[in-house]
């Protein structure tokens, strides 16, 4: 069914964050970040608290919010330790539309795992940005009973496409405006994948990292979904920094370490990836 505009049709049992996740494997994960750091921290005074706000509420970024388990917590811990006690990065999770409001109010925050185009800042003039520190790609997820091999935006014409509420989908925006793709908004990526599993959407737009984790660890989508081998986009993840040049300079200095040390890949192995 085609339709103009944006609708929201989440499954009734869709979850916020990790609440209700039926994960079998998270309990096998060892506590956060015992990987040896290249820098030893010596704290001479109280660290400055820096808001580390993410809209990636699902695994492997956030595996267990109460236990502070997941890649985002690991990354914040690493950056805090490497600052020699200068900064303490405090993780909080927000829906994307709420995070947009926080940034529009000019609050001083850091947003990890993101990209300039997703925040309508391709020229990097609205916010401060680091260089990219981790490659990523977005996947098109469909049902194994009706698999979709993605071959560009037009290959989704006439279909419903579920994805994160508040997220930007540049390559699909024109077709959505024309009513050739129906966009379905959900509160998190698992809910988008569940809609496909339940037959309420034809496809879902989900980061490959998240899709692979959930398809292997969540019973509601395990064995029933198909991941197209061709991604819808490839990119590098950056840090967005609002209003703090000193924090941006520090994080930019850490980018080279993140790129060359392989530490994120080692952290991913902790989550079975």
């Amino acid at each position: 069914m085609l339709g103009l505009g944006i609708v929201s049709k989440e499954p009734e049992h869709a979850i916020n964050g990790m609440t209700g996740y039926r994960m079998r494997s998270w309990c096998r994960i060892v506590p956060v970040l015992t990987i040896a750091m290249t820098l030893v921290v010596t704290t001479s005074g109280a660290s400055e608290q820096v808001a580390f706000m993410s809209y990636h509420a699902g695994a492997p970024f956030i595996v267990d919010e109460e236990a502070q388990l997941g890649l985002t917590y690991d990354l914040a811990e690493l950056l805090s330790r490497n600052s020699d006690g200068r900064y303490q990065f405090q993780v909080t999770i927000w829906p994307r539309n709420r995070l947009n409001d926080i940034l529009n109010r000019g609050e001083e925050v850091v947003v990890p795992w993101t990209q300039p185009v997703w925040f309508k800042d391709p020229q990097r003039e609205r916010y401060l940005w680091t260089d990219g520190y981790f490659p990523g790609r977005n996947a098109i997820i469909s049902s194994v009973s009706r698999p979709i091999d993605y071959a560009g935006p037009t290959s989704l014409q006439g279909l419903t496409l579920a994805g994160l509420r508040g997220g930007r989908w540049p390559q699909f925006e024109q077709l959505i405006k024309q009513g050739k793709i129906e966009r379905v908004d959900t509160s998190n990526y698992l809910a988008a994948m569940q809609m496909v599993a339940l037959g309420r959407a034809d496809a879902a737009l989900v980061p490959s990292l998240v899709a692979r984790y959930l398809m292997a660890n969540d019973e509601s989508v395990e064995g029933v979904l198909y991941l197209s081998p061709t991604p819808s986009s490839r990119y590098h993840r950056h840090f967005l920094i609002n209003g703090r040049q000193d924090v941006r300079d520090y994080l930019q200095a850490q980018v080279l370490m993140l790129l060359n040390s392989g530490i994120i890949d080692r952290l991913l192995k902790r989550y079975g990836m």
Side-chain angles (χ1 to χ4, degrees):
M1 180 189 301
L2 301 183
L4 293 170
I6 300 172
V7 296
S8 178
K9 302 177 182 176
E10 294 186 41
E12 292 179 2
H13 59 285
I15 59 175
N16 291 316
M18 286 298 301
T19 304
Y21 267 56
R22 289 173 289 175
M23 298 294 180
R24 296 191 307 275
S25 64
W26 74 267
C27 58
R28 301 196 299 266
I29 302 169
V30 294
V32 175
L33 211 67
T34 55
I35 292 176
M37 303 300 173
T38 56
L39 297 177
V40 178
V41 176
T42 56
T43 305
S44 58
S47 301
E48 181 182 359
Q49 306 295 302
V50 178
F52 204 67
M53 295 186 176
S54 180
Y55 57 93
H56 293 291
F61 297 105
I62 303 295
V63 175
D64 189 314
E65 190 170 355
E66 184 176 352
Q68 297 192 356
L69 190 65
L71 281 177
T72 301
Y73 293 108
D74 295 348
L75 182 59
E77 171 109 356
L78 171 64
L79 295 171
S80 298
R81 293 190 182 193
N82 281 1
S83 74
D84 291 325
R86 184 177 181 185
Y87 302 117
Q88 185 68 38
F89 293 91
Q90 297 290 324
V91 175
T92 56
I93 311 302
W94 295 88
R96 173 59 194 270
N97 54 351
R98 291 285 304 279
L99 180 56
N100 290 345
D101 292 339
I102 290 170
L103 291 171
N104 289 336
R105 292 198 300 267
E107 296 188 25
E108 296 180 347
V109 304
V110 174
V111 182
W113 310 117
T114 193
Q115 217 262 352
V117 172
W118 301 342
F119 281 85
K120 299 183 180 180
D121 194 21
Q123 304 304 315
R124 307 188 189 190
E125 298 173 341
R126 186 175 183 182
Y127 305 109
L128 300 174
W129 295 90
T130 66
D131 294 337
Y133 61 87
F134 186 64
R137 56 185 185 176
N138 285 336
I140 297 299
I141 307 298
S142 56
S143 170
V144 292
S145 62
R146 292 197 304 166
I148 297 170
D149 285 313
Y150 182 74
T154 57
S155 64
L156 300 185
Q157 284 191 147
L159 303 179
T160 55
L161 180 62
L164 190 67
R165 180 180 296 114
R168 293 199 67 233
W169 309 353
Q171 68 271 51
F172 301 111
E173 286 179 355
Q174 190 61 35
L175 291 174
I176 291 170
K177 289 179 181 178
Q178 294 171 353
K180 296 179 179 179
I181 294 176
E182 182 180 5
R183 172 171 173 161
V184 181
D185 279 337
T186 62
S187 61
N188 56 69
Y189 292 119
L190 176 59
M193 294 170 67
Q194 287 172 333
M195 290 201 67
V196 176
L198 293 169
R200 298 181 184 176
D202 298 303
L205 178 64
V206 180
S208 295
L209 192 65
V210 175
R212 287 189 290 111
Y213 184 92
L214 292 175
M215 289 169 70
N217 292 286
D218 191 279
E219 294 175 359
S220 69
V221 295
E222 184 181 11
V224 297
L225 296 181
Y226 174 76
L227 190 154
S228 175
T230 302
S232 66
S233 60
R234 299 176 186 269
Y235 48 83
H236 274 79
R237 297 184 183 275
H238 304 241
F239 293 107
L240 179 160
I241 305 95
N242 203 25
R244 288 293 300 272
Q245 184 67 48
D246 61 318
V247 174
R248 186 269 172 193
D249 292 343
Y250 167 68
L251 292 175
Q252 177 60 33
Q254 292 295 298
V255 165
L256 190 61
M257 179 275 294
L258 293 171
L259 287 171
N260 294 335
S261 67
I263 194 167
I264 295 181
D265 289 330
R266 295 201 296 276
L267 289 170
L268 282 170
K269 290 180 180 178
R270 291 178 170 271
Y271 303 100
M273 306 190 71

